[in-house]
Amino acid sequence: MTANLLLQCPDQKGVIAAVSQLLYGFGCNVVASDQRITFDFSDIVIGPGNTAVLERAIAELASRYQMKWKLAYKNKVKRLAILVSKQDHCLYDLLIRHRSKELICEIPLIVSNHPDLKHIADTFGVPFHHLPLSKEPGAKEAQEAALEALLERENVDVGYCERHWSHTINIHHSFLPAFEGGRPYHRAHERGVKIIGATAHFATAELDAGPIIDQGVTRITHRDSVEDMIRKGRDLERLVLARAVRWHLDDRVMVYNNKTVVFED
Amino acid sequence: MTANLLLQCPDQKGVIAAVSQLLYGFGCNVVASDQRITFDFSDIVIGPGNTAVLERAIAELASRYQMKWKLAYKNKVKRLAILVSKQDHCLYDLLIRHRSKELICEIPLIVSNHPDLKHIADTFGVPFHHLPLSKEPGAKEAQEAALEALLERENVDVGYCERHWSHTINIHHSFLPAFEGGRPYHRAHERGVKIIGATAHFATAELDAGPIIDQGVTRITHRDSVEDMIRKGRDLERLVLARAVRWHLDDRVMVYNNKTVVFED
Amino acid sequence: MTANLLLQCPDQKGVIAAVSQLLYGFGCNVVASDQRITFDFSDIVIGPGNTAVLERAIAELASRYQMKWKLAYKNKVKRLAILVSKQDHCLYDLLIRHRSKELICEIPLIVSNHPDLKHIADTFGVPFHHLPLSKEPGAKEAQEAALEALLERENVDVGYCERHWSHTINIHHSFLPAFEGGRPYHRAHERGVKIIGATAHFATAELDAGPIIDQGVTRITHRDSVEDMIRKGRDLERLVLARAVRWHLDDRVMVYNNKTVVFED
Amino acid sequence: MTANLLLQCPDQKGVIAAVSQLLYGFGCNVVASDQRITFDFSDIVIGPGNTAVLERAIAELASRYQMKWKLAYKNKVKRLAILVSKQDHCLYDLLIRHRSKELICEIPLIVSNHPDLKHIADTFGVPFHHLPLSKEPGAKEAQEAALEALLERENVDVGYCERHWSHTINIHHSFLPAFEGGRPYHRAHERGVKIIGATAHFATAELDAGPIIDQGVTRITHRDSVEDMIRKGRDLERLVLARAVRWHLDDRVMVYNNKTVVFED
């Protein structure tokens, strides 16, 4: 069994030695590490002992050094829910990367507020749940409650959504913090920018203000219409979202102070 | 003699034919053209006739097709003033590109509100004008009047400034419209972005809202401090500003609706 | 009906005027043009007249100015054959872009020397032809003859192949001309490069030496294994191939002297 | 005093623990580390003890784990010689980055086989040595001996050269291994590539085959002439060389198997 151990603590002498010694003492072999603001001992091959004892030892060390810590075992395949609206490019991309084993996870369900993309879910054999949003009072709360119930029933670890629900990775169609909010490509065209972008971030209550996981950009010119920008943006969105999801599934992302530490592979 | 002819008019039949025929009739040879929203007949080799007559003919055609037009003769070498504060990297860059004939222009003066960079002006043999800004009432207006008088006396066509004066190309230390205003790298670090940028734009009365000429970006990670970002940003700023200035000196930039059309080389 | 007119001729006075005048005379409205080494009158809205007469007029003009010319009517949707071996990522990508109308074409068949990817063809409802290659003498010639017969029967205009057949767009897994030939990622890893690339080019008899349509690159580090490079390369290959195919379907690519002129959109 | 410790050894249990424990035992505080194929303990704050004893301890550990190791103390400012021919852009760039403290080193001399760039050396107050190369028999050997003597007399640690001498960082005007050898931009233009590059590498006896430190690329189109490519390439060369030199001055580059491990900052 392998695991990733992410640590964060104030700079002080002997921390690496103490952690390394502890892992060695438990028969763990550290395959890769990275350490600047935080520590990342990734791909630790866990020794044959009891993981509960290992965790207690880490917890004790952590309290001594004022560490925040997260030990992510890699034997557990995460369960990913895909939350979409009407755009299909990211949905296709995630399903294909999953099928080709580039994304190691289970995808137990696709949820949408529209029925339009059910045919794609059928093609890839993933259950599709339609949670429509009526305009009646309380409809939004009811829809969110139904979604939460679904995600809980299916033991979902992570979600991707085109729109904003909590506890999910969202792809925003711009280079945040430029063009927060709606219709970003239209506003980018209006402003006359020469580069457009896409941003994958953790969704938070405050729209488009969550911790950024990854961003990508591409050049445009005055000849690009809004439609051209949307088309070029789709490729960006696919790549940026796929990287963010893969890093998250692989426990390479750690959040602190509304920012992320990413141990890129 | 060669010239660039930039035209903008509503889409209608026969416009290209009419303009091409007119130029041909005046013995002009069109070496390059580009036409989407606007027309660009660049590197026109002007025939031996009277340019005033050519201009009258273009003006007449323009009124028939509701065209805006700009005919820029390339025999006129532009005069560039460099307006700096305390940072030296863009100043060095422009002076070196000028010396190596990459920027074809005259640089009759460097102006600054601080004396710090005078030694660079001396090194490259360019007159340096120190226009300090005191805190007395009316000092800012007096400084601006002195600057205007200087620029007029030296027949300056275009300026580059680190700070904001009118009629100049400005380099902003971020990927506009993200982080408009002051301390952009500090705010980018605070927000946790994964890409930083630089933006060359025409300065306007409204701070950082002028037409964008060019932008550039570079990836950063959580390991980059504000100082690292400033260092990486300097290289971006140099490249983006140099491209913008070169295009402008070469009459490749046309402004409309607070956006730019750039005929990149 | 719209069309693209690509012209190439020696630099001489009056060429643009003559072509523009001719198109105007036939009631054609030129929506976009680009002209440097060659001329590109793209998205010409053809007038109501007889296209045969227009073509005769262009041919006559062309002979006067020693022009090569190509008039591509946009009413004709091209037919694209996809030739694959065992790798699925470009196949998926082309099929999805086709389904989402980003690639405007018909895809009447998928051909492979292996049966492995038939399930993808079935998913997207495209006929799959398995042309296995035995090791018997003459097997290669027989396979190629069968392929040619298939392509002819299906009126195919353009092909994409993972391996090398003639008259097709090929994606090479490196930044050509670096690492021509087999196992490019292994050799890139061996050489210790810091950037990898992908190249879409027209296949020619000489392996990997055909005209380059587009290239893309991505940074790697010493930490990337061959497998990491292959994974990162897949995203490049998808993007670069899709751009090349789209430009070709849209008649934006013109070949001369084993190089391409591409009128990027 | 701080130091960088670079280690390389076969993968085995307890290595990180052993090294970390040793450094801790000597009162060293590890500020940053990175470890995949190799270990990098960078910015180690060395304790007050005797560095010779520390080195002996590391050597002993190294022999136990079959480690190659390199401990680079940061108190020693390296001495950089700049070897140029006739092109001035990289020379200017290094001198300016040195003056602005972006490159922390001493530059005791500039050497050239041509007198053309002496004025730049004078401008920045660096001694200039002209070592002309006549066509007489033995002239090349004599020139190289004179260069070696100069570099030795000046205690030079690292050199940058435009042409190929040994023990130096070289900037090659292409994306190696494409276009090894002479006139790379001309050959890139001839081949019709869509992206050009620059490569900083350690010079070795075999031309253009030394370990690659960094590479950069930029897009071009069919409209770019060889001269345009040379101009765009200059910016690449500047950036790529400056990064390679800075990393090398900062002991972030380690060579093994003709490849480099770079601990990017």
Side-chain angles (χ1 to χ4, degrees):
Chain A
M1 186 171 69
T2 62
N4 276 0
L5 174 61
L6 299 171
L7 302 169
Q8 191 197 0
C9 69
D11 187 23
Q12 54 204 304
K13 267 191 202 172
V15 174
I16 290 189
V19 176
S20 302
Q21 197 63 42
L22 184 154
L23 292 173
Y24 180 57
F26 276 86
C28 302
N29 186 22
V30 177
V31 178
S33 77
D34 188 348
Q35 175 255 338
R36 306 277 162 120
I37 302 159
T38 58
F39 306 96
D40 166 41
F41 291 89
S42 60
D43 295 324
I44 301 170
V45 181
I46 307 278
N50 189 327
T51 57
V53 180
L54 172 63
E55 288 185 27
R56 267 205 302 280
I58 294 174
E60 192 191 347
L61 195 76
S63 79
R64 198 173 350 137
Y65 287 102
Q66 291 116 15
M67 270 178 192
K68 292 176 197 160
W69 64 286
K70 173 179 156 192
L71 183 69
Y73 299 107
K74 295 203 159 179
N75 62 334
K76 185 171 178 326
V77 172
K78 288 201 178 60
R79 291 168 70 80
L80 171 77
I82 304 179
L83 285 61
V84 291
S85 186
K86 286 182 168 180
Q87 294 196 36
D88 61 7
H89 58 290
C90 284
L91 175 60
Y92 266 127
D93 195 71
L94 292 177
L95 290 170
I96 288 168
R97 289 179 200 266
H98 176 248
R99 192 182 266 195
S100 68
K101 312 269 185 261
E102 192 177 308
L103 294 179
I104 305 297
C105 62
E106 291 167 6
I107 303 182
L109 77 164
I110 296 166
V111 187
S112 180
N113 49 348
H114 294 284
D116 306 49
L117 303 183
K118 182 173 186 306
H119 68 102
I120 301 176
D122 293 348
T123 295
F124 285 81
V126 179
F128 182 88
H129 298 263
H130 181 205
L131 296 183
L133 181 59
S134 73
K135 295 192 172 170
E136 289 170 33
K140 185 149 184 55
E141 289 70 20
Q143 187 208 38
E144 287 188 359
L147 175 65
E148 286 299 324
L150 254 179
L151 297 182
E152 193 164 336
R153 195 190 76 196
E154 296 289 347
N155 282 312
V156 165
D157 294 287
V158 57
Y160 150 67
C161 74
E162 192 182 317
R163 308 229 306 204
H164 303 273
W165 278 289
S166 56
H167 307 298
T168 58
I169 296 174
N170 182 52
I171 184 80
H172 186 78
H173 309 213
S174 87
F175 184 72
L176 287 176
F179 309 119
E180 295 183 351
R183 295 171 66 82
Y185 289 121
H186 290 78
R187 288 154 62 210
H189 188 264
E190 177 68 22
R191 180 61 184 92
V193 295
K194 302 299 186 185
I195 292 178
I196 54 170
T199 302
H201 64 99
F202 287 115
T204 54
E206 190 186 344
L207 194 67
D208 300 334
I212 293 172
I213 307 171
D214 195 30
Q215 300 188 291
V217 290
T218 198
R219 282 187 83 82
I220 56 163
T221 76
H222 61 273
R223 293 194 297 255
D224 284 301
S225 64
V226 172
E227 288 67 37
D228 292 326
M229 289 165 61
I230 289 173
R231 174 176 51 76
K232 292 179 177 180
R234 281 201 299 261
D235 280 333
L236 277 181
E237 294 160 19
R238 265 189 277 247
L239 292 180
V240 169
L241 176 66
R243 275 203 300 262
V245 169
R246 196 160 51 79
W247 290 336
H248 184 67
L249 290 177
D250 204 25
D251 287 303
R252 295 176 169 280
V253 185
M254 187 172 171
V255 176
Y256 71 102
N257 297 338
N258 204 42
K259 301 202 276 192
T260 63
V261 173
V262 177
F263 297 97
E264 300 189 16
D265 56 350
Chain B
M1 188 172 66
T2 62
N4 276 1
L5 175 60
L6 299 170
L7 301 169
Q8 191 196 2
C9 70
D11 187 24
Q12 54 204 308
K13 267 190 201 173
V15 174
I16 290 189
V19 175
S20 303
Q21 197 65 41
L22 183 153
L23 292 173
Y24 180 56
F26 277 85
C28 301
N29 186 22
V30 177
V31 178
S33 77
D34 187 347
Q35 175 257 337
R36 306 277 162 119
I37 302 158
T38 59
F39 306 96
D40 166 40
F41 292 89
S42 61
D43 296 323
I44 301 169
V45 182
I46 307 278
N50 190 327
T51 57
V53 182
L54 172 63
E55 289 185 26
R56 268 204 302 280
I58 293 174
E60 192 190 347
L61 196 76
S63 78
R64 196 169 356 133
Y65 288 103
Q66 293 117 16
M67 271 178 190
K68 291 174 198 162
W69 65 284
K70 173 180 157 191
L71 183 67
Y73 299 107
K74 296 203 161 180
N75 61 336
K76 187 172 175 328
V77 172
K78 288 200 177 62
R79 291 169 70 79
L80 172 76
I82 304 180
L83 287 60
V84 290
S85 188
K86 288 183 167 179
Q87 294 196 35
D88 61 8
H89 59 289
C90 284
L91 175 61
Y92 267 127
D93 195 72
L94 292 177
L95 290 170
I96 287 169
R97 288 178 201 268
H98 175 248
R99 191 181 267 194
S100 68
K101 312 269 186 259
E102 192 177 308
L103 293 179
I104 305 297
C105 61
E106 291 166 5
I107 302 182
L109 76 165
I110 295 167
V111 187
S112 180
N113 49 350
H114 295 282
D116 307 48
L117 303 183
K118 182 173 187 305
H119 69 102
I120 302 176
D122 293 347
T123 295
F124 286 82
V126 178
F128 182 89
H129 299 263
H130 180 203
L131 296 182
L133 182 58
S134 73
K135 294 191 172 171
E136 289 170 32
K140 187 155 182 51
E141 289 70 20
Q143 187 208 39
E144 288 188 0
L147 175 65
E148 286 299 325
L150 255 179
L151 298 181
E152 194 164 335
R153 196 190 75 196
E154 296 289 348
N155 282 314
V156 164
D157 294 289
V158 57
Y160 151 67
C161 73
E162 192 182 314
R163 307 229 307 203
H164 303 274
W165 278 290
S166 56
H167 307 298
T168 58
I169 295 175
N170 182 54
I171 184 81
H172 187 77
H173 309 213
S174 85
F175 184 74
L176 287 175
F179 309 118
E180 294 183 349
R183 295 169 66 81
Y185 290 122
H186 290 78
R187 287 154 63 211
H189 188 264
E190 177 69 21
R191 179 63 184 91
V193 295
K194 302 299 187 186
I195 292 177
I196 55 170
T199 304
H201 64 97
F202 287 115
T204 54
E206 190 185 344
L207 194 68
D208 300 334
I212 293 172
I213 306 171
D214 196 28
Q215 300 186 291
V217 290
T218 197
R219 284 187 81 82
I220 56 163
T221 76
H222 62 273
R223 293 194 297 255
D224 284 300
S225 64
V226 172
E227 288 66 38
D228 292 326
M229 289 165 63
I230 289 172
R231 174 175 52 75
K232 291 180 177 180
R234 281 201 299 261
D235 280 334
L236 278 181
E237 294 159 20
R238 267 189 276 249
L239 292 180
V240 170
L241 176 65
R243 276 202 300 261
V245 169
R246 196 160 52 78
W247 290 337
H248 183 66
L249 290 175
D250 204 26
D251 287 304
R252 294 177 169 281
V253 185
M254 188 173 172
V255 176
Y256 72 101
N257 296 339
N258 203 42
K259 300 202 277 190
T260 62
V261 173
V262 178
F263 297 97
E264 300 187 18
D265 55 351
Chain C
M1 186 172 66
T2 62
N4 276 2
L5 175 61
L6 299 171
L7 301 169
Q8 191 197 1
C9 69
D11 187 25
Q12 54 204 305
K13 268 190 198 171
V15 174
I16 290 190
V19 175
S20 303
Q21 198 61 43
L22 184 153
L23 292 173
Y24 180 57
F26 276 87
C28 301
N29 186 22
V30 177
V31 177
S33 77
D34 187 348
Q35 175 255 341
R36 305 276 162 120
I37 303 159
T38 58
F39 306 95
D40 165 41
F41 292 89
S42 60
D43 296 323
I44 302 168
V45 181
I46 306 279
N50 189 327
T51 57
V53 181
L54 171 64
E55 290 185 26
R56 267 205 303 279
I58 293 174
E60 193 192 346
L61 195 77
S63 79
R64 199 173 348 137
Y65 287 103
Q66 292 115 15
M67 269 178 191
K68 291 176 198 160
W69 64 286
K70 174 179 155 190
L71 183 68
Y73 299 108
K74 296 205 159 176
N75 62 334
K76 186 173 175 327
V77 172
K78 288 200 179 58
R79 291 169 69 80
L80 171 77
I82 304 180
L83 285 62
V84 289
S85 187
K86 287 182 168 179
Q87 295 196 34
D88 61 8
H89 58 290
C90 283
L91 175 60
Y92 266 127
D93 194 71
L94 292 177
L95 290 170
I96 288 168
R97 289 179 200 267
H98 176 248
R99 193 181 265 194
S100 68
K101 311 272 186 257
E102 191 176 309
L103 294 179
I104 305 297
C105 62
E106 291 167 5
I107 303 182
L109 77 165
I110 295 166
V111 187
S112 180
N113 49 349
H114 294 283
D116 306 49
L117 304 183
K118 182 174 187 303
H119 69 102
I120 302 176
D122 293 348
T123 295
F124 285 81
V126 178
F128 182 87
H129 298 263
H130 180 205
L131 295 183
L133 181 59
S134 73
K135 294 192 171 170
E136 289 171 33
K140 186 152 185 53
E141 289 72 19
Q143 188 209 37
E144 288 188 359
L147 175 65
E148 286 299 324
L150 255 178
L151 299 181
E152 193 165 335
R153 197 189 75 196
E154 296 288 348
N155 282 313
V156 165
D157 294 287
V158 56
Y160 150 66
C161 73
E162 190 182 316
R163 309 229 305 203
H164 303 274
W165 279 287
S166 56
H167 306 298
T168 59
I169 295 175
N170 183 52
I171 184 79
H172 186 77
H173 310 212
S174 86
F175 185 71
L176 287 176
F179 309 118
E180 295 183 349
R183 296 171 65 80
Y185 289 122
H186 290 77
R187 288 153 62 209
H189 188 263
E190 177 69 21
R191 179 63 184 92
V193 295
K194 301 299 187 186
I195 292 178
I196 55 171
T199 303
H201 64 98
F202 287 115
T204 54
E206 190 185 343
L207 195 67
D208 299 334
I212 293 171
I213 305 171
D214 195 28
Q215 301 187 290
V217 290
T218 198
R219 283 187 82 83
I220 56 164
T221 76
H222 62 273
R223 291 195 297 256
D224 284 301
S225 63
V226 172
E227 287 66 39
D228 292 327
M229 291 165 62
I230 289 173
R231 172 175 53 74
K232 291 180 177 180
R234 281 201 298 262
D235 280 333
L236 278 182
E237 294 160 20
R238 268 189 277 247
L239 292 180
V240 170
L241 176 65
R243 277 202 299 262
V245 168
R246 195 160 52 79
W247 289 337
H248 184 68
L249 290 175
D250 204 25
D251 287 303
R252 293 176 170 280
V253 185
M254 187 173 174
V255 176
Y256 72 102
N257 297 339
N258 203 43
K259 300 202 276 192
T260 63
V261 173
V262 177
F263 296 99
E264 300 188 17
D265 56 351
Chain D
M1 187 172 64
T2 61
N4 275 2
L5 174 61
L6 300 170
L7 301 169
Q8 190 196 2
C9 68
D11 187 25
Q12 53 204 305
K13 267 190 198 170
V15 174
I16 289 188
V19 175
S20 303
Q21 197 63 40
L22 184 153
L23 292 173
Y24 180 56
F26 277 85
C28 301
N29 187 21
V30 177
V31 178
S33 77
D34 189 346
Q35 175 255 341
R36 304 279 161 119
I37 302 160
T38 59
F39 306 96
D40 166 41
F41 291 89
S42 61
D43 295 324
I44 301 169
V45 181
I46 307 278
N50 189 327
T51 56
V53 181
L54 172 64
E55 289 185 27
R56 267 205 302 280
I58 293 174
E60 191 191 348
L61 196 76
S63 79
R64 198 173 349 137
Y65 287 103
Q66 291 117 16
M67 272 178 189
K68 290 175 198 162
W69 64 285
K70 173 179 157 191
L71 183 68
Y73 300 108
K74 297 205 160 177
N75 61 335
K76 186 175 176 325
V77 172
K78 287 201 178 62
R79 291 169 69 80
L80 171 76
I82 305 180
L83 286 60
V84 290
S85 189
K86 288 181 167 180
Q87 294 198 35
D88 61 8
H89 58 289
C90 283
L91 176 60
Y92 267 127
D93 195 73
L94 292 178
L95 290 170
I96 287 167
R97 289 180 200 266
H98 176 247
R99 192 182 265 195
S100 69
K101 310 270 185 262
E102 191 176 310
L103 293 180
I104 306 297
C105 61
E106 291 167 5
I107 303 182
L109 78 165
I110 296 166
V111 188
S112 179
N113 50 347
H114 294 283
D116 307 49
L117 304 182
K118 182 173 187 305
H119 69 102
I120 301 175
D122 292 347
T123 294
F124 285 82
V126 179
F128 182 88
H129 298 263
H130 180 204
L131 295 183
L133 182 59
S134 73
K135 293 190 172 170
E136 288 171 35
K140 188 155 180 53
E141 288 71 20
Q143 188 209 37
E144 288 189 356
L147 175 66
E148 286 298 325
L150 256 179
L151 298 181
E152 195 165 333
R153 196 190 75 196
E154 296 289 349
N155 281 314
V156 164
D157 294 289
V158 58
Y160 150 66
C161 73
E162 191 181 315
R163 307 229 306 202
H164 303 275
W165 279 289
S166 55
H167 307 297
T168 59
I169 295 174
N170 182 54
I171 184 81
H172 187 77
H173 308 211
S174 85
F175 184 73
L176 285 177
F179 310 119
E180 294 183 351
R183 297 169 66 79
Y185 289 122
H186 291 79
R187 289 153 62 209
H189 188 262
E190 177 69 20
R191 179 64 185 90
V193 294
K194 302 299 188 187
I195 291 177
I196 54 170
T199 304
H201 64 98
F202 288 114
T204 53
E206 190 185 345
L207 195 68
D208 299 336
I212 293 171
I213 305 170
D214 195 30
Q215 301 189 288
V217 291
T218 198
R219 284 187 81 84
I220 55 163
T221 76
H222 62 274
R223 293 194 297 254
D224 284 300
S225 64
V226 171
E227 288 66 38
D228 292 327
M229 289 164 62
I230 289 173
R231 174 175 51 75
K232 292 181 177 179
R234 280 200 298 261
D235 281 334
L236 278 181
E237 294 159 21
R238 266 189 277 248
L239 292 180
V240 169
L241 177 66
R243 275 203 300 261
V245 169
R246 196 160 52 79
W247 290 336
H248 184 67
L249 290 176
D250 203 25
D251 287 303
R252 295 176 169 281
V253 185
M254 187 174 173
V255 176
Y256 71 102
N257 297 338
N258 203 44
K259 301 202 276 191
T260 64
V261 173
V262 178
F263 297 98
E264 301 187 18
D265 57 351

